[in-house]
Amino acid sequence: MRNNAFSDLIQLFFAFRFVMRIVALATATAAGCSSIDYKKLTTGEISGSLFVMWVGEGNSSGDGNFLFVPDPHDPLIFHRADPATPGSTIRPGLMYTDGGSIPKIAQVFKGLSPWGYAPAYMIHDWIFIAHHCIVDGSTEKRFDQVRGVDFDDSAAILGEAIKALIATREVAPNDIAPSAITAAVGSAIAKNLWDEKGACKSLQVSAKDIASAEAAIPGSTSKAQNLRTFQIPETVAPAVRAVRPAKIIARLSF
């Protein structure tokens, strides 16, 4: 989940970091403004299923705009290794996403598909969305799981989630991509987005797209289900006109 200004900035960041590193065959950890060292991070645990529905064309990063729809019977859940750390358990709710926001110029390199580490990206996107709404004054319970998460935590959690995917052999090990991605989400560019205020309203899922999710996965947006699993904003009324179901383009289970 990124705005256009951030996508443009991070495109430049990735273009410089990755193109130069790959061409030069550099092997050191990607440099950046983050204090997070991917290699020193612990390994988290990911379970559940991941549904993604296409809802729009997208822009210069990612491969389009999508709707992440949690499975009410097998939700995507991330656990940090230390249950005492902020964001120890994260269960993303219904949200818009463009995957990893990897600029198209960098997608040719191994490990840099915007969906290659999709579960980890969903966890990170949810943290950012929750943070923006918390900063804007939301007291909704759906955000309680990440209220203590700060910017450095958000970058560390993404790295820990990527490590979880590698540890369970869901993805292949990579010497460069995980470190560089962790550096990018911990950069000054990402921090500027983190500090943005007034973004919560624009991140809310529209009634039309909620209806599409309901049509694709019946029962997913009933009021009781919203509060218990899908975590759709409590202020959204589910009484929207039925529509033809959107096409689910990806489902992964862990």
Side-chain angles (χ1 to χ4, degrees):
M1 174 66 63
R2 306 289 187 270
N3 59 24
N4 290 338
F6 180 69
S7 293
D8 292 341
L9 287 172
I10 206 161
Q11 179 171 2
L12 293 175
F13 180 90
F14 271 108
F16 176 78
R17 298 294 182 192
F18 287 106
V19 175
M20 293 302 292
R21 284 175 57 78
I22 296 298
V23 172
L25 299 179
T27 57
T29 300
C33 297
S34 174
S35 60
I36 305 300
D37 185 344
Y38 172 80
K39 294 181 180 179
K40 294 181 179 179
L41 295 175
T42 57
T43 301
E45 179 183 339
I46 293 178
S47 61
S49 297
L50 187 158
F51 288 97
V52 178
M53 295 165 51
W54 180 84
V55 294
E57 181 179 9
N59 47 45
S60 60
S61 65
D63 281 337
N65 290 326
F66 301 86
L67 187 67
F68 167 76
V69 184
D71 183 342
H73 305 294
D74 188 26
L76 180 68
I77 300 176
F78 173 72
H79 294 286
R80 303 189 74 178
D82 182 355
T85 54
S88 58
T89 298
I90 299 177
R91 184 173 174 174
L94 189 75
M95 64 179 170
Y96 293 118
T97 181
D98 61 0
S101 298
I102 307 294
K104 298 185 188 306
I105 192 173
Q107 291 179 22
V108 297
F109 301 115
K110 182 179 180 180
L112 298 183
S113 160
W115 299 102
Y117 302 122
Y121 295 145
M122 297 304 101
I123 300 300
H124 187 257
D125 276 0
W126 180 246
I127 292 172
F128 258 67
I129 290 171
H131 170 74
H132 282 310
C133 290
I134 291 169
V135 166
D136 288 351
S138 175
T139 59
E140 295 175 76
K141 293 181 179 179
R142 64 196 181 114
F143 300 136
D144 287 351
Q145 57 188 304
V146 295
R147 285 191 185 275
V149 173
D150 63 21
F151 177 69
D152 282 349
D153 290 326
S154 73
I157 288 170
L158 176 59
E160 292 168 9
I162 291 176
K163 282 197 168 188
L165 295 174
I166 294 173
T168 55
R169 299 183 180 180
E170 300 291 343
V171 298
N174 188 298
D175 293 335
I176 296 177
S179 293
I181 290 169
T182 304
V185 299
S187 69
I189 295 171
K191 183 62 164 62
N192 288 337
L193 180 63
W194 178 266
D195 292 336
E196 185 179 279
K197 296 181 179 179
C200 181
K201 185 176 181 180
S202 66
L203 300 174
Q204 300 300 308
V205 179
S206 71
K208 176 182 177 181
D209 289 335
I210 290 174
S212 293
E214 169 65 23
I217 308 174
S220 64
T221 59
S222 66
K223 185 174 181 180
Q225 194 80 318
N226 293 348
L227 300 179
R228 193 166 57 247
T229 56
F230 271 51
Q231 309 298 312
I232 293 171
E234 287 95 325
T235 55
V236 174
V240 290
R241 186 170 59 182
V243 298
R244 294 181 62 185
K247 184 178 180 181
I248 297 176
I249 65 163
R251 177 180 181 174
L252 305 173
S253 296
F254 305 91

Coordinates of all heavy atoms in Angstrom, one line a residue, residues 1-49:
M1 N 0.8 -1.2 0.0 CA 0.0 0.0 0.0 C 0.9 1.2 0.0 O 1.5 1.5 1.0 CB -0.9 0.0 1.2 CG -1.7 1.2 1.4 SD -2.9 1.5 0.1 CE -4.0 0.0 0.4
R2 N 0.9 1.9 -1.1 CA 1.8 3.1 -1.2 C 1.1 4.2 -2.0 O 0.3 3.9 -2.9 CB 3.1 2.7 -2.0 CG 3.8 1.5 -1.4 CD 4.5 1.9 0.0 NE 5.3 0.7 0.4 CZ 4.8 -0.2 1.2 NH1 3.6 -0.3 1.6 NH2 5.7 -1.2 1.6
N3 N 1.4 5.5 -1.7 CA 0.8 6.5 -2.5 C 1.8 6.8 -3.7 O 2.9 6.3 -3.7 CB 0.6 7.8 -1.7 CG 1.8 8.3 -1.0 OD1 2.9 8.1 -1.5 ND2 1.6 9.1 0.1
N4 N 1.3 7.6 -4.6 CA 2.1 7.8 -5.8 C 3.4 8.5 -5.6 O 4.5 8.1 -6.2 CB 1.3 8.7 -6.8 CG 0.1 7.9 -7.4 OD1 0.1 6.7 -7.4 ND2 -0.9 8.7 -7.9
A5 N 3.5 9.4 -4.7 CA 4.7 10.1 -4.4 C 5.7 9.1 -3.8 O 6.9 9.1 -4.2 CB 4.5 11.3 -3.4
F6 N 5.3 8.3 -2.9 CA 6.2 7.3 -2.3 C 6.6 6.3 -3.3 O 7.8 5.9 -3.4 CB 5.5 6.6 -1.2 CG 6.3 5.5 -0.5 CD1 7.4 5.9 0.3 CD2 6.0 4.2 -0.7 CE1 8.2 5.0 0.9 CE2 6.8 3.2 -0.1 CZ 7.9 3.6 0.7
S7 N 5.7 5.9 -4.2 CA 6.1 5.0 -5.3 C 7.2 5.5 -6.2 O 8.2 4.8 -6.5 CB 4.9 4.6 -6.1 OG 4.0 3.9 -5.4
D8 N 7.1 6.8 -6.5 CA 8.2 7.4 -7.3 C 9.5 7.5 -6.6 O 10.5 7.2 -7.2 CB 7.7 8.9 -7.7 CG 6.5 8.9 -8.7 OD1 6.3 7.8 -9.3 OD2 5.9 9.9 -8.8
L9 N 9.4 7.8 -5.3 CA 10.7 7.9 -4.5 C 11.3 6.6 -4.3 O 12.5 6.4 -4.5 CB 10.4 8.6 -3.2 CG 10.1 10.1 -3.2 CD1 9.6 10.5 -1.8 CD2 11.3 10.9 -3.6
I10 N 10.5 5.6 -4.0 CA 11.1 4.3 -3.8 C 11.6 3.6 -5.1 O 12.5 2.8 -5.1 CB 10.1 3.4 -3.0 CG1 10.9 2.4 -2.2 CG2 9.1 2.7 -3.9 CD1 10.2 1.7 -1.1
Q11 N 11.0 4.0 -6.2 CA 11.4 3.5 -7.5 C 12.9 4.0 -7.7 O 13.7 3.2 -8.1 CB 10.6 4.0 -8.6 CG 11.1 3.6 -10.0 CD 10.1 3.9 -11.1 OE1 9.0 4.5 -10.9 NE2 10.4 3.5 -12.3
L12 N 13.2 5.3 -7.4 CA 14.5 5.8 -7.5 C 15.4 5.0 -6.5 O 16.6 4.7 -6.9 CB 14.5 7.3 -7.2 CG 13.8 8.1 -8.2 CD1 13.8 9.6 -7.8 CD2 14.5 8.0 -9.6
F13 N 15.0 4.8 -5.3 CA 15.8 4.1 -4.3 C 16.1 2.7 -4.8 O 17.3 2.3 -4.8 CB 15.0 4.0 -3.0 CG 15.7 3.3 -1.9 CD1 16.5 4.0 -1.1 CD2 15.6 1.9 -1.8 CE1 17.2 3.4 0.0 CE2 16.3 1.3 -0.8 CZ 17.1 2.0 0.1
F14 N 15.1 2.0 -5.3 CA 15.4 0.6 -5.7 C 16.3 0.6 -7.0 O 17.2 -0.2 -7.2 CB 14.1 -0.1 -6.0 CG 13.6 -0.9 -4.8 CD1 12.5 -0.4 -4.1 CD2 14.2 -2.0 -4.4 CE1 12.0 -1.1 -3.0 CE2 13.7 -2.7 -3.3 CZ 12.6 -2.2 -2.6
A15 N 16.0 1.5 -7.9 CA 16.7 1.6 -9.2 C 18.2 1.8 -8.9 O 19.1 1.1 -9.4 CB 16.2 2.7 -10.0
F16 N 18.5 2.7 -8.0 CA 19.9 3.0 -7.7 C 20.5 1.8 -6.9 O 21.6 1.3 -7.3 CB 20.0 4.2 -6.8 CG 21.4 4.5 -6.4 CD1 22.4 5.1 -7.3 CD2 21.8 4.2 -5.1 CE1 23.7 5.3 -6.8 CE2 23.1 4.5 -4.7 CZ 24.0 5.0 -5.6
R17 N 19.9 1.4 -5.8 CA 20.4 0.3 -5.0 C 20.6 -1.0 -5.7 O 21.7 -1.6 -5.7 CB 19.6 0.1 -3.8 CG 19.4 1.3 -2.9 CD 20.7 1.7 -2.2 NE 20.5 2.8 -1.3 CZ 21.5 3.5 -0.8 NH1 22.8 3.2 -1.1 NH2 21.3 4.5 0.0
F18 N 19.6 -1.4 -6.4 CA 19.6 -2.8 -7.0 C 20.3 -2.8 -8.3 O 21.2 -3.7 -8.5 CB 18.2 -3.3 -7.1 CG 17.6 -3.7 -5.8 CD1 16.6 -2.9 -5.3 CD2 18.0 -4.8 -5.2 CE1 16.0 -3.3 -4.1 CE2 17.4 -5.2 -3.9 CZ 16.5 -4.4 -3.4
V19 N 20.1 -1.9 -9.2 CA 20.8 -1.9 -10.5 C 22.3 -1.8 -10.3 O 23.1 -2.6 -10.9 CB 20.2 -0.8 -11.4 CG1 21.1 -0.8 -12.7 CG2 18.8 -1.1 -11.7
M20 N 22.7 -0.9 -9.5 CA 24.1 -0.7 -9.2 C 24.7 -1.9 -8.5 O 25.8 -2.4 -8.9 CB 24.4 0.6 -8.4 CG 24.0 1.9 -9.1 SD 24.9 2.1 -10.7 CE 26.6 2.3 -10.1
R21 N 24.0 -2.5 -7.6 CA 24.5 -3.6 -6.9 C 24.6 -4.9 -7.7 O 25.6 -5.6 -7.7 CB 23.6 -3.9 -5.6 CG 23.9 -2.9 -4.5 CD 22.9 -3.2 -3.4 NE 23.0 -4.5 -2.9 CZ 24.0 -4.9 -2.1 NH1 24.9 -4.1 -1.7 NH2 24.0 -6.2 -1.6
I22 N 23.6 -5.1 -8.5 CA 23.6 -6.3 -9.4 C 24.7 -6.2 -10.5 O 25.5 -7.1 -10.7 CB 22.2 -6.5 -10.1 CG1 21.2 -6.8 -9.0 CG2 22.3 -7.7 -11.1 CD1 21.4 -8.0 -8.2
V23 N 24.8 -5.0 -11.1 CA 25.8 -4.8 -12.2 C 27.2 -5.0 -11.6 O 28.1 -5.5 -12.2 CB 25.6 -3.5 -12.9 CG1 26.7 -3.2 -13.8 CG2 24.2 -3.4 -13.6
A24 N 27.4 -4.4 -10.4 CA 28.7 -4.4 -9.8 C 29.0 -5.8 -9.1 O 30.1 -6.0 -8.6 CB 28.9 -3.3 -8.9
L25 N 28.0 -6.6 -9.0 CA 28.1 -7.9 -8.3 C 28.5 -7.7 -6.9 O 29.3 -8.5 -6.3 CB 29.1 -8.8 -9.0 CG 28.8 -9.2 -10.5 CD1 29.9 -10.1 -11.0 CD2 27.5 -9.9 -10.6
A26 N 27.9 -6.7 -6.3 CA 28.2 -6.4 -4.8 C 27.6 -7.5 -4.0 O 26.5 -8.0 -4.3 CB 27.7 -5.1 -4.4
T27 N 28.2 -7.8 -2.9 CA 27.7 -8.8 -2.0 C 27.4 -8.3 -0.6 O 26.9 -9.1 0.3 CB 28.7 -10.0 -1.8 OG1 29.9 -9.5 -1.4 CG2 28.9 -10.7 -3.2
A28 N 27.7 -7.1 -0.3 CA 27.5 -6.5 1.0 C 26.0 -6.2 1.2 O 25.2 -6.1 0.3 CB 28.3 -5.2 1.2
T29 N 25.6 -6.1 2.5 CA 24.2 -5.8 2.8 C 23.8 -4.4 2.2 O 24.6 -3.5 2.2 CB 24.0 -5.7 4.3 OG1 24.3 -7.0 4.8 CG2 22.5 -5.3 4.6
A30 N 22.6 -4.3 1.7 CA 22.2 -3.0 1.0 C 22.3 -1.9 2.0 O 21.8 -2.0 3.1 CB 20.8 -3.1 0.5
A31 N 22.9 -0.8 1.6 CA 23.1 0.3 2.5 C 21.8 1.1 2.5 O 21.0 1.1 1.5 CB 24.3 1.2 1.9
G32 N 21.6 1.9 3.6 CA 20.4 2.7 3.7 C 20.4 3.4 5.0 O 21.4 3.4 5.7
C33 N 19.3 4.0 5.3 CA 19.2 4.8 6.5 C 18.7 3.9 7.7 O 18.5 4.4 8.8 CB 18.2 6.0 6.3 SG 18.9 7.1 5.1
S34 N 18.3 2.7 7.5 CA 17.8 1.8 8.5 C 18.9 1.3 9.4 O 20.0 1.1 9.1 CB 17.1 0.6 7.8 OG 16.7 -0.3 8.8
S35 N 18.5 1.2 10.7 CA 19.4 0.6 11.7 C 19.1 -0.9 11.8 O 19.7 -1.6 12.6 CB 19.1 1.3 13.1 OG 17.8 1.0 13.5
I36 N 18.3 -1.4 11.0 CA 17.9 -2.9 11.0 C 18.9 -3.7 10.2 O 19.1 -3.4 9.0 CB 16.5 -3.1 10.5 CG1 15.5 -2.2 11.3 CG2 16.1 -4.6 10.6 CD1 15.5 -2.5 12.8
D37 N 19.5 -4.7 10.8 CA 20.4 -5.6 10.1 C 19.6 -6.9 9.9 O 19.4 -7.6 10.8 CB 21.7 -5.8 10.9 CG 22.7 -6.7 10.2 OD1 22.3 -7.4 9.2 OD2 23.9 -6.7 10.6
Y38 N 19.3 -7.1 8.6 CA 18.5 -8.3 8.3 C 19.1 -9.6 8.8 O 18.4 -10.5 9.4 CB 18.3 -8.4 6.8 CG 17.6 -9.7 6.3 CD1 16.3 -9.9 6.4 CD2 18.4 -10.8 5.8 CE1 15.7 -11.1 6.0 CE2 17.8 -12.0 5.4 CZ 16.4 -12.1 5.6 OH 15.9 -13.3 5.2
K39 N 20.4 -9.7 8.7 CA 21.1 -11.0 9.1 C 21.0 -11.2 10.6 O 21.1 -12.4 11.0 CB 22.6 -10.9 8.7 CG 22.8 -10.9 7.2 CD 24.2 -10.9 6.8 CE 24.4 -10.8 5.3 NZ 25.9 -10.8 4.9
K40 N 20.8 -10.2 11.4 CA 20.7 -10.4 12.8 C 19.2 -10.6 13.3 O 19.0 -10.8 14.5 CB 21.3 -9.2 13.5 CG 22.8 -9.0 13.3 CD 23.4 -7.8 14.0 CE 24.9 -7.7 13.8 NZ 25.4 -6.5 14.5
L41 N 18.3 -10.5 12.4 CA 16.9 -10.6 12.8 C 16.6 -12.1 13.2 O 17.1 -13.0 12.7 CB 16.0 -10.2 11.7 CG 16.0 -8.7 11.4 CD1 15.1 -8.4 10.1 CD2 15.6 -7.8 12.5
T42 N 15.6 -12.2 14.1 CA 15.1 -13.6 14.4 C 14.1 -14.0 13.3 O 13.7 -13.2 12.5 CB 14.4 -13.6 15.8 OG1 13.3 -12.6 15.7 CG2 15.4 -13.2 16.9
T43 N 13.8 -15.3 13.3 CA 12.9 -15.8 12.3 C 11.5 -15.9 12.9 O 11.3 -16.6 14.0 CB 13.3 -17.2 11.9 OG1 14.6 -17.1 11.3 CG2 12.4 -17.8 10.8
G44 N 10.5 -15.3 12.2 CA 9.1 -15.4 12.7 C 8.4 -16.7 12.2 O 9.1 -17.6 11.7
E45 N 7.1 -16.7 12.4 CA 6.3 -17.8 11.9 C 5.1 -17.3 11.2 O 4.4 -16.4 11.7 CB 5.9 -18.7 13.1 CG 5.1 -19.9 12.8 CD 4.6 -20.7 14.0 OE1 5.3 -20.5 15.0 OE2 3.6 -21.4 13.9
I46 N 4.8 -17.9 10.0 CA 3.6 -17.5 9.2 C 2.7 -18.7 9.0 O 3.2 -19.8 8.7 CB 4.0 -16.9 7.9 CG1 4.8 -15.6 8.0 CG2 2.8 -16.7 7.0 CD1 5.2 -15.0 6.7
S47 N 1.4 -18.5 9.2 CA 0.5 -19.5 9.0 C -0.8 -18.9 8.3 O -1.0 -17.7 8.3 CB 0.1 -20.2 10.3 OG -0.5 -19.3 11.2
G48 N -1.6 -19.8 7.8 CA -2.9 -19.4 7.2 C -2.8 -19.3 5.7 O -1.9 -19.7 5.0
S49 N -3.9 -18.7 5.1 CA -4.0 -18.6 3.7 C -4.0 -17.1 3.3 O -4.3 -16.3 4.1 CB -5.3 -19.2 3.2 OG -5.3 -20.6 3.4

